[in-house]
Amino acid sequence: MNAPPRHLTDVHPSVPPERLLADLVPPRHFADASFGSYRPDPAHPSQQATVDRLVEVAATLDAEQGGWRRRLGLASRTTPPAIYLDGGFGVGKTHLLTSLAHAVGTRSSSYGTFVEYTNLVGALGFARTVDALASKRLVCIDEFELDDPGDTVLMSRLLRELADRGVALAATSNTLPDSLGEGRFAAEDFLREIQALAARFEVLRVDGDDYRHRAAVTGAQGLEDREVAEVVDGRDGAALDDFDALLSHLSQVHPSRYGALLDGVDLLGLIGVHPVTEQSTALRLVVLVDRLYDRDVPVLLGGSGGTDLFTEEMLAGGYRKKYYRALSRLGSLAEDGRRLVSSPA
């Protein structure tokens, strides 16, 4: 007899610094990503141009692997590559970034989201973080977003020290480097730091449409709560949570632990889903959606589903690109979940 559905609200994960370092690899969703598996849209030539440039960067880093300058500790005398992929959500930027990490090698590269790196500094301290990341040839930063002045200064200093030690950098974002922080804090007060970040990167624009919208509608109606509970019931690796209870629980768990919160979860059912009106709550939900997407966890949405999940003010504000990314990813996961409704347990 199968155990009853678990609840994420019952999980209080503890994540040691060693795991934070070990987890800095491409997520499960992109475990097999490569330049060859990326399908550039002919209608948007910038996609193929970006692939070509990243292939060059990977080849350059590979050629340097056995170079005499690195063996003698002289890599800092040269300027390592620093690539910044800019474009809308759903154009394949993360696919390209993980492809670069795989091409360089997961032992020689570090891959994480912006928040994972800031969390790492909090857990290890700045000096230990620099030492750990400086052992890599490439540091990849997904979802580069500056949400507060402290993060601006922290990431500027971190990237400067890594570059000075010969580490190549690659990042993705929906915002050009010199516009980071715009609409979220008084960016003009930190213009020097932001410009210093921007000056380090070669910007590659990735144009295109959101590929996830080809298969999923992010504003789809929710399922009946009863139906969600019935599908989850009896499935190994499934979790069932009340939406409000989960949102409250997320406020008690550090975002760096949201991944660990999902350990062993292969399906998440949410009942009582409704629009979120408080911004800090919405931003925590965005992080959870990102971790669900990283792990390819299908989601069953009860209540109102994805309809008006975020307010019009949120979708027009400084964090709008985060919210639209979350809607895109949640729509894809919800489409995967709907396929399970008619599938046998």
Side-chain angles (χ1 to χ4, degrees), residues 39 41 43 46 81 135-136 231 242 266 271 273 278 284 345:
R39 296 291 180 261
D41 187 342
S46 63
S135 66
K136 307 293 184 179
V231 173
D242 174 79
D266 298 317
I271 58 176
V273 178
E278 204 275 319
R284 286 191 289 268

Side-chain angles (χ1 to χ4, degrees), residues 88-212:
F89 52 87
V91 297
K93 302 187 302 299
T94 299
H95 185 131
L96 291 171
L97 188 66
T98 52
S99 297
L100 179 61
H102 284 304
V104 172
T106 53
R107 288 190 175 183
S108 299
S109 62
S110 175
Y111 178 95
T113 62
F114 181 88
V115 70
E116 286 176 313
Y117 285 110
T118 56
N119 290 338
L120 184 65
V121 174
L124 292 182
F126 187 84
R128 287 183 61 194
T129 298
V130 172
D131 288 341
L133 297 179
S135 66
K136 307 293 184 179
R137 283 186 288 154
L138 170 70
V139 168
C140 296
I141 310 161
D142 200 16
E143 302 160 15
F144 202 117
E145 304 248 0
L146 300 183
D147 295 341
D148 63 64
D151 284 348
T152 305
V153 176
L154 173 65
M155 192 55 68
S156 177
R157 182 184 170 201
L158 179 64
L159 297 187
R160 180 173 64 249
E161 297 214 11
L162 290 175
D164 288 346
R165 292 173 67 164
V167 179
L169 306 171
T172 73
S173 183
N174 301 316
T175 307
L176 286 169
D178 57 2
S179 298
L180 288 167
E182 188 176 278
R184 279 158 283 183
F185 60 87
E188 63 274 10
D189 294 339
F190 298 88
L191 189 58
R192 180 181 301 175
E193 294 290 349
I194 293 172
Q195 288 176 335
L197 283 174
R200 293 187 177 277
F201 289 101
E202 172 190 351
V203 178
L204 302 179
R205 175 70 188 180
V206 187
D207 299 301
D209 302 317
D210 180 2
Y211 76 92
R212 288 183 288 265

Side-chain angles (χ1 to χ4, degrees), residues 224-254:
E224 292 289 336
D225 285 347
R226 171 189 53 78
E227 190 175 17
V228 172
E230 289 176 352
V231 173
V232 171
D233 186 38
R235 287 182 179 265
D236 291 334
L240 178 68
D241 281 273
D242 174 79
F243 190 58
D244 279 331
L246 179 58
L247 293 180
S248 177
H249 185 59
L250 292 180
S251 69
Q252 305 301 315
V253 179
H254 193 278

Side-chain angles (χ1 to χ4, degrees), residues 15 17 19 42-43 54 68 79 102 119 149-150 152-153 166 168 186 189-191 195 199 217 259 285 292 294:
V15 182
R19 173 167 176 174
L54 292 179
W68 65 274
T79 302
H102 284 304
N119 290 338
T152 305
V153 176
D189 294 339
F190 298 88
L191 189 58
Q195 288 176 335
V217 179
L285 179 59
L292 288 165
D294 287 346

Side-chain angles (χ1 to χ4, degrees), residues 89 145 174-176 317-326:
F89 52 87
E145 304 248 0
N174 301 316
T175 307
L176 286 169
Y319 298 103
R320 60 190 177 276
K321 292 175 181 177
K322 284 190 173 187
Y323 294 133
Y324 278 116
R325 182 185 74 234

